[in-house]
């Protein structure tokens, strides 16, 4: 199955800069004193987060949800030192810098500096980078991928290949697989059994067909691996508290899956303002779901200004219709001139009254 991905072979994909980067030019090594305990503690923290994020549903969605922690946020991450003193003497760090890795972010993560400094580029990193290139990750995006998940370098290449084979077996096309890995590189560290359960959960809960599961996964890869309790509580809130029916909820998920990752209280507050204060019905929200992603202050300020002008009319069947898209898009100046048909002085004077 993996052979289908070979259309992205590095001999065709990698540019000359990346080929030079993977060369084995000699660089003076600096002696490193590593902390195995620190690295182990970091890995333990990450494993706990994965278990929390990926475990099966064992509690009611009505029960309190523990404090959320993204797999990209590591506890106790105050940096013990910075990489500056090592860069000139470490081939590993030099290669990472050339790839575009953000060392400043990595040095804040507990155990990661020690983990990276003990790696040998040729033995421990090169093959992993070639693997990422083989599955289509653009050389210009490798730095971002590694910054998000540097522990890819400790993952067994055989296991990573199995996870790519799984996606192929589920009829994900190469472009979708590339996007999944690029946007959520933690996929390569999660077992196929767990991923399969998660895809099944979304398919059953939202009554999705195969193409819809693949589309959702590629569009927002994080949602599949996100904290399950959070997803369940968001689903309950959107359906029961906001009043979207099953079909409407499915439409919302496929168009704006990021809504399921937003804090539920903030999302419900935003919906209440749009639906009740602005009197926008569900059908119009479904046409422009990005309004639920917009910042609260932007919605309130712009709606308030339109109301002040007597132009807050969001029914497309009536005259002087203002689309929700024009309400939330563009700069304030663009909104004031093109949507409100006013001027910035009037808008700024209105804001002073708030």
């Amino acid at each position: 199955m993996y052979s289908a991905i070979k259309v992205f072979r590095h001999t065709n994909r990698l540019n000359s800069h990346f080929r030079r980067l993977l060369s084995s030019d000699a660089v003076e090594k600096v002696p490193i004193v590593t902390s195995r305990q620190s690295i182990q503690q970091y890995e333990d923290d990450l494993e706990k987060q994965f278990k929390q994020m990926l475990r099966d549903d064992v509690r009611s969605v009505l029960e309190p949800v523990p404090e959320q922690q993204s797999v990209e946020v590591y506890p106790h991450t105050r940096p013990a030192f910075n990489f500056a003193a090592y860069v000139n003497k470490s081939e590993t760090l030099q290669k990472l810098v050339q790839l575009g890795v953000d060392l400043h972010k990595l040095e804040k993560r507990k155990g990661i500096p020690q983990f990276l400094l003990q790696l040998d580029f040729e033995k421990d990193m090169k093959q992993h980078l070639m693997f990422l290139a083989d599955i289509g990750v653009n050389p210009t995006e490798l730095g971002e991928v590694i910054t998000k998940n540097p522990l890819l370098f400790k993952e067994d290449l055989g296991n990573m290949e199995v996870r790519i084979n799984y996606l192929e077996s589920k009829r994900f096309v190469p472009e979708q697989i590339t996007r999944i890995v690029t946007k959520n590189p933690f996929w390569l560290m999660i077992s196929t059994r767990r991923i399969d359960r998660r895809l099944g959960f979304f398919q059953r809960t939202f009554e999705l067909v195969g193409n819809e599961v693949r589309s959702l996964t590629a569009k927002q890869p994080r949602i599949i691996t996100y904290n399950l309790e959070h997803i369940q509580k968001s689903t309950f809130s959107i359906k029961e508290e906001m009043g979207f029916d099953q079909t409407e909820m499915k439409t919302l998920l496929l168009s704006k899956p990021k809504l399921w990752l937003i804090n539920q209280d903030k999302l419900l507050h935003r919906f209440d303002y749009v639906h009740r204060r602005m009197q926008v019905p569900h059908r119009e929200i479904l046409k422009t779901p990005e309004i639920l992603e917009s910042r609260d202050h932007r919605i309130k300020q712009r709606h308030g200004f339109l109301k002040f002008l007597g132009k807050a009319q969001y029914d497309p069947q009536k005259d002087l219709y203002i689309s929700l898209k024009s309400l939330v898009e563009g700069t304030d100046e663009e909104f004031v001139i093109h949507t409100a048909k006013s001027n910035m002085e009037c808008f700024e004077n209105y804001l002073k009254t708030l």
Side-chain angles (χ1 to χ4, degrees):
M1 300 296 294
Y2 181 59
S3 60
I5 291 293
K6 295 302 185 178
V7 294
F8 291 109
R9 290 299 305 171
H10 64 273
T11 54
N12 297 320
R13 294 279 304 177
L14 301 185
N15 56 28
S16 58
H17 170 75
F18 188 52
R19 290 194 184 98
R20 289 196 303 272
L21 179 60
L22 296 183
S23 66
S24 55
D25 297 332
V27 177
E28 180 184 359
K29 299 289 197 305
V30 61
I32 302 298
V33 178
T34 62
S35 172
R36 294 186 179 276
Q37 183 177 6
S38 180
I39 297 172
Q40 184 61 50
Q41 181 62 50
Y42 174 85
E43 294 177 4
D44 290 344
D45 289 341
L46 185 61
E47 177 62 23
K48 289 177 183 178
Q49 289 172 335
F50 273 133
K51 288 180 179 179
Q52 165 70 18
M53 180 181 65
L54 297 169
R55 70 177 182 267
D56 290 325
D57 177 25
V58 295
R59 297 192 296 188
S60 167
V61 298
L62 297 178
E63 293 184 25
V65 178
E67 183 69 21
Q68 295 297 321
Q69 283 187 329
S70 166
V71 293
E72 296 175 18
V73 178
Y74 304 94
H76 317 301
T77 55
R78 187 171 299 173
F81 65 96
N82 63 60
F83 281 120
Y86 296 88
V87 171
N88 290 335
K89 297 181 180 180
S90 170
E91 178 191 17
T92 296
L93 295 185
Q94 290 175 17
K95 297 292 190 182
L96 292 178
V97 169
Q98 292 175 47
L99 285 168
V101 175
D102 191 335
L103 295 183
H104 180 66
K105 287 184 179 180
L106 293 183
E107 69 188 8
K108 295 180 181 181
R109 299 179 181 177
K110 188 174 70 171
I112 287 298
Q114 294 90 341
F115 170 69
L116 291 177
L117 287 170
Q118 74 176 357
L119 298 179
D120 179 270
F121 182 80
E122 288 293 325
K123 293 189 298 184
D124 303 318
M125 303 171 70
K126 185 174 180 178
Q127 292 304 312
H128 288 73
L129 293 172
M130 299 301 287
F131 177 87
L132 293 174
D134 284 347
I135 62 175
V137 177
N138 193 296
T140 62
E141 296 181 303
L142 282 171
E144 180 182 353
V145 170
I146 297 167
T147 302
K148 288 179 180 177
N149 186 13
L151 288 183
L152 280 177
F153 293 124
K154 72 178 286 296
E155 194 68 16
D156 180 77
L157 284 169
N159 289 337
M160 291 166 64
E161 183 171 334
V162 167
R163 288 151 197 169
I164 296 299
N165 289 344
Y166 168 82
L167 291 174
E168 288 186 301
S169 73
K170 296 299 180 180
R171 297 170 58 190
F172 284 84
V173 299
E175 292 80 6
Q176 290 175 323
I177 294 174
T178 299
R179 177 175 170 79
I180 290 169
V181 173
T182 301
K183 297 302 180 182
N184 186 8
F186 288 93
W187 268 73
L188 292 174
M189 300 182 69
I190 303 174
S191 72
T192 57
R193 179 174 58 86
R194 288 176 170 179
I195 290 294
D196 193 69
R197 287 206 307 265
R198 279 306 185 89
L199 294 179
F201 164 80
F202 280 93
Q203 186 167 27
R204 293 188 304 273
T205 302
F206 300 98
E207 301 177 358
L208 306 177
V209 297
N211 284 339
E212 291 169 336
V213 173
R214 289 185 285 272
S215 176
L216 170 66
T217 303
K219 187 170 188 175
Q220 182 53 264
R222 287 182 63 210
I223 196 173
I224 306 300
T225 61
Y226 209 71
N227 183 284
L228 186 59
E229 288 181 272
H230 182 100
I231 298 297
Q232 291 174 315
K233 189 173 182 180
S234 293
T235 301
F236 176 85
S237 180
I238 290 170
K239 187 174 183 179
E240 304 298 337
E241 296 178 313
M242 299 183 198
F244 290 97
D245 63 28
Q246 182 71 23
T247 301
E248 291 171 334
M249 185 173 63
K250 174 180 175 178
T251 299
L252 204 58
L253 175 74
L254 294 176
S255 60
K256 288 295 175 183
K258 187 179 178 181
L259 294 176
W260 268 255
L261 309 183
I262 296 175
N263 177 278
Q264 296 97 348
D265 293 334
K266 291 182 179 179
L267 181 61
L268 182 58
H269 173 78
R270 192 173 302 149
F271 169 82
D272 283 341
Y273 186 87
V274 172
H275 184 57
R276 293 183 171 84
R277 183 72 64 87
M278 295 172 56
Q279 298 185 342
V280 178
H282 288 81
R283 65 177 182 276
E284 294 303 319
I285 294 176
L286 288 172
K287 293 177 182 178
T288 315
E290 51 264 40
I291 193 170
L292 296 179
E293 292 181 332
S294 185
R295 294 184 179 92
D296 292 339
H297 75 271
R298 170 177 288 192
I299 298 173
K300 292 178 180 179
Q301 287 178 357
R302 294 184 178 186
H303 166 68
F305 185 58
L306 288 174
K307 189 175 181 180
F308 170 75
L309 297 174
K311 298 180 180 180
Q313 202 291 92
Y314 308 109
D315 186 343
Q317 304 301 320
K318 297 179 180 180
D319 294 335
L320 304 177
Y321 165 64
I322 299 292
S323 72
L324 296 181
K325 187 174 183 180
S326 67
L327 179 72
V328 298
E329 285 189 344
T331 64
D332 283 342
E333 185 174 8
E334 291 171 335
F335 162 75
V336 169
I337 295 174
H338 301 298
T339 302
K341 308 297 182 185
S342 184
N343 58 74
M344 286 302 295
E345 181 180 2
C346 184
F347 182 63
E348 290 168 357
N349 287 335
Y350 165 75
L351 293 181
K352 292 177 183 177
T353 67
L354 300 180

